[in-house]
Amino acid sequence: MSAPLRLGIIGANPHRGWASRAHLPAVAASDDVELAAVATTRIDSAAEAAEQFGARNAYADPLELIADPQVEAVTVAVKVPEHFALVRAALEAGKHVYSEWPLGVNTDEAVALRDLAAQRRLHTVVGLQNARSTQIQRARELLAEGRIGRVLSATLRSASGMGGPTVAAAQAWLADAVNGTNLLTVTAGHALDTLAAVIGEFESLSATVATQFPEAVVADTGKTIPVTSPDQIAIAGLAGDGAVVTAHVQGASAARPGLVIEVRGTDGLLEITAAPSLAAAAIALRIVTDGDDAEDVSGRPDDSVARVGRVYADLAAAVRTDSPQGSNFDHAVRRHRLLDAIEQSSAERRRVEVPA
């Protein structure tokens, strides 16, 4: 058995954030990677994370972690506006990279990082982990087995509390779409990636992207700030096999948050659900065929820790075999271009082809 890939995690706060909920527990449970170093903005929290999760070194400067000779691969799990500089620094230092999604604040950043990784012959993955859920893999198998016949259509509904008339001070930066973290890039990005893992990619689409709350009040201060991030996304399109796809992703919604995907075929229906969100829940599968009651086909549940762990396994396998595995930076660029197509369609009020 190969030695585990030695990993450094940037953004490894042990008390809050996605790294504490998913990355650190996933690495602790993995045989494929081992935690060599952690970095946060404060040395005391970095040292605490190192002690709690068994890292050898702790840093308050992410560039010091990247320079650590014990680190073979770097995870970037910080705010999206910081991704580009840190991922670029890691690649330039010859490190393999796991970047959280979105890869950059826009497609130009994602393309630049993809190309740099290719030039340096380094392996990458991106944090679109829901396609690595056992339930999503099972959903794909059920369709391939013909359990609902020929796929005719898919409907996606997703609701979250992102956006709305008030915002906490710590989240106020999300109001500016330029920062690359909003309902379209995060909620819709993850949901549409999950859908594509089941039925395949969009070929063309028409979309409406709207901001129904163009201002928000910062709850902590009472200050009113402008909002350019969207809070409503509606899409109608065609998948590669001719299936008709509709999707509605809405923010500012506290009632029944979560994701529902219905895939309808000539012989039945496959329903995929996650509540209150893909990040915080197991994914459930139910299948309904003509004349039968709904059958739960979820199997053994998994969670975000397990899914992130499989992405780490993909990265370790890519390094070990020197062959791309899983959702790498090529895949990230494809997802960024899908989001661009959605925005283009909305801005130009026309149907657009989605780049392959």
Side-chain angles (χ1 to χ4, degrees), residues 271-331:
E271 182 184 68
I272 304 165
T273 60
S277 70
L278 279 168
I283 296 172
L285 296 182
R286 296 196 312 163
I287 195 166
V288 181
T289 54
D290 190 25
D292 293 329
D293 293 332
E295 175 188 358
D296 190 319
V297 290
S298 304
R300 183 177 179 180
D302 69 5
D303 58 15
S304 292
V305 174
R307 296 168 213 160
V308 168
R310 294 185 194 109
V311 179
Y312 276 116
D314 290 338
L315 179 60
V319 174
R320 185 172 61 249
T321 63
D322 195 26
S323 176
Q325 305 284 329
S327 297
N328 61 11
F329 283 8
D330 284 327
H331 184 82

Side-chain angles (χ1 to χ4, degrees), residues 104-184:
V105 297
N106 54 46
T107 303
D108 287 345
E109 287 191 353
V111 168
L113 294 173
R114 179 203 61 185
D115 291 349
L116 178 59
Q119 292 164 9
R120 298 300 177 98
R121 300 184 61 83
L122 293 165
H123 293 287
T124 61
V125 289
V126 69
L128 289 166
Q129 66 278 347
N130 296 303
R132 295 295 274 115
S133 162
T134 55
Q135 284 69 43
I136 296 304
Q137 292 177 328
R138 181 58 181 147
R140 188 164 54 244
E141 291 168 358
L142 289 167
L143 298 188
E145 292 166 6
R147 287 289 300 275
I148 64 169
R150 181 168 66 90
V151 173
L152 301 175
S153 67
T155 303
L156 181 153
R157 303 190 307 276
S158 177
S160 81
M162 185 174 283
T166 60
V167 61
Q171 305 297 319
W173 67 280
L174 301 174
D176 189 346
V178 171
N179 288 322
T181 309
N182 54 63
L183 190 77
L184 176 62

Side-chain angles (χ1 to χ4, degrees), residues 22-281:
H23 285 280
L24 290 166
V27 172
S30 176
D31 293 328
D32 297 293
V33 293
E34 67 176 10
L35 193 60
V38 292
T40 69
T41 56
R42 295 181 297 111
I43 192 60
D44 55 345
S45 63
E48 183 179 353
E51 181 177 2
Q52 183 175 344
F53 291 96
R56 301 170 190 169
N57 297 316
Y59 300 101
D61 183 344
L63 297 182
E64 291 182 6
L65 179 146
I66 289 170
D68 186 333
Q70 293 298 314
V71 171
E72 298 175 289
V74 173
T75 293
V76 175
V78 295
K79 291 180 179 179
V80 176
E82 301 172 39
H83 283 191
F84 182 76
L86 291 172
V87 173
R88 181 176 61 184
L91 294 171
E92 289 177 341
K95 314 289 179 160
H96 310 287
V97 175
Y98 183 145
S99 173
E100 263 309 324
W101 171 261
L103 179 53
V105 297
N106 54 46
T107 303
D108 287 345
E109 287 191 353
V111 168
L113 294 173
R114 179 203 61 185
D115 291 349
L116 178 59
Q119 292 164 9
R120 298 300 177 98
R121 300 184 61 83
L122 293 165
H123 293 287
T124 61
V125 289
V126 69
L128 289 166
Q129 66 278 347
N130 296 303
R132 295 295 274 115
S133 162
T134 55
Q135 284 69 43
I136 296 304
Q137 292 177 328
R138 181 58 181 147
R140 188 164 54 244
E141 291 168 358
L142 289 167
L143 298 188
E145 292 166 6
R147 287 289 300 275
I148 64 169
R150 181 168 66 90
V151 173
L152 301 175
S153 67
T155 303
L156 181 153
R157 303 190 307 276
S158 177
S160 81
M162 185 174 283
T166 60
V167 61
Q171 305 297 319
W173 67 280
L174 301 174
D176 189 346
V178 171
N179 288 322
T181 309
N182 54 63
L183 190 77
L184 176 62
T185 60
V186 178
T187 310
H190 279 288
L192 294 171
D193 187 70
T194 303
L195 176 66
V198 177
I199 68 163
E201 301 288 341
F202 276 99
E203 280 196 349
S204 62
L205 59 82
S206 298
T208 297
V209 179
T211 303
Q212 294 190 328
F213 293 93
E215 292 183 339
V217 176
V218 180
D220 313 60
T221 66
K223 180 182 178 182
T224 298
I225 60 172
V227 177
T228 57
S229 291
D231 50 39
Q232 296 283 336
I233 300 130
I235 306 166
L238 289 175
D241 60 358
V244 175
V245 182
T246 59
H248 184 196
V249 180
Q250 56 186 321
S253 177
R256 297 187 68 183
L259 172 74
V260 178
I261 296 172
E262 292 181 350
V263 183
R264 292 186 177 268
T266 53
D267 301 325
L269 160 71
L270 177 64
E271 182 184 68
I272 304 165
T273 60
S277 70
L278 279 168

